[in-house]
Amino acid sequence: MQEPQAAENTMPLMEHLIELKNRLTVAVAALFVAFLGCYYFANEIYGFLVHPLAAILSELGGNRRMIYTALHEAFFTQIKVSFFAALFLAFPVIATQFWKFLAPGLYKNEKAALAPYLVLSPILFALGGALVYYFIMPLAWKFFLSFETLGTDGTLPIQLEAKVNEYLALVMKLIFAFGISFQLPLVLTLLARIGVATSRGLAAKRKYAVVVTFIAAAVMTPPDIISQVGLAIPILFLYEISIISVRSVEKKRGDIEDEENDDEFEETDFNMT
């Protein structure tokens, strides 16, 4: 039986705690350095996040602006922008420290199974963020701005004057919603590796997945049909990719030889019809 590397050189509890402290120190230091750099460019980063709205407002014409109504609002918005950007930039260092702490206690096959996910996870998150930034946000902002009205005799115009902190909160909500949702193939594939999920079960639950997906999209996004559908459709696509990925894991593990053997399977929460 294959033994973990940690078994060859057992470390006492205190040494494990010291190792954990050292790894956390490096991770926090990397986050702090990235935060300082991002704070220096906070205006540029926020300008990048605002660009989809600014582009649409420039097409509409007029003297448009964003506002803040509390003295500390703009400052704390820059702090939040810097922290979110620093977290993304420092993630490779944080993930590396996590891996170096965890790897000595893993079997070789567990290392081989887990390592690709540490690389794929930020890539999928970035893909989700890119989708919402370049496609969903322009469509959603145009939808929201369509409710502006011109003033007529006896009425006042209704015009957007977005607050900087509210805009940042909305953008980060969308980015995190899409980024986290794009982790679905990784999660389901990991569940398949530990025997919790099966491709046959996921396929049988497809109709329920559609309902749950649209409910989750409605909860995770603003109350507009564009962002909700824009999140639901990629999730459903990723769900189909997950079924293929899980089937690949099963074949490598020898759980299924061919499609004809799919009729012989054990019923679980994921594969009951």
Side-chain angles (χ1 to χ4, degrees), residues 130-141:
L131 175 65
V132 70
Y133 180 85
Y134 290 106
F135 181 71
I136 302 300
M137 282 169 53
L139 294 176
W141 296 174

Side-chain angles (χ1 to χ4, degrees), residues 75-145:
F75 170 72
F76 280 106
T77 298
Q78 288 192 344
I79 293 292
K80 293 176 183 178
V81 167
S82 304
F83 176 77
F84 288 134
L87 191 61
F88 183 79
L89 292 178
F91 180 82
V93 177
I94 296 173
T96 299
Q97 295 304 311
F98 170 77
W99 174 253
K100 287 183 177 181
F101 177 75
L102 191 64
L106 298 176
Y107 296 108
K108 289 184 179 180
N109 62 329
E110 291 174 335
K111 287 183 180 180
L114 184 60
Y117 295 94
L118 294 177
V119 177
L120 290 174
S121 179
I123 294 175
L124 289 175
F125 189 95
L127 287 176
L131 175 65
V132 70
Y133 180 85
Y134 290 106
F135 181 71
I136 302 300
M137 282 169 53
L139 294 176
W141 296 174
K142 287 182 180 179
F143 172 78
F144 290 134
L145 286 168

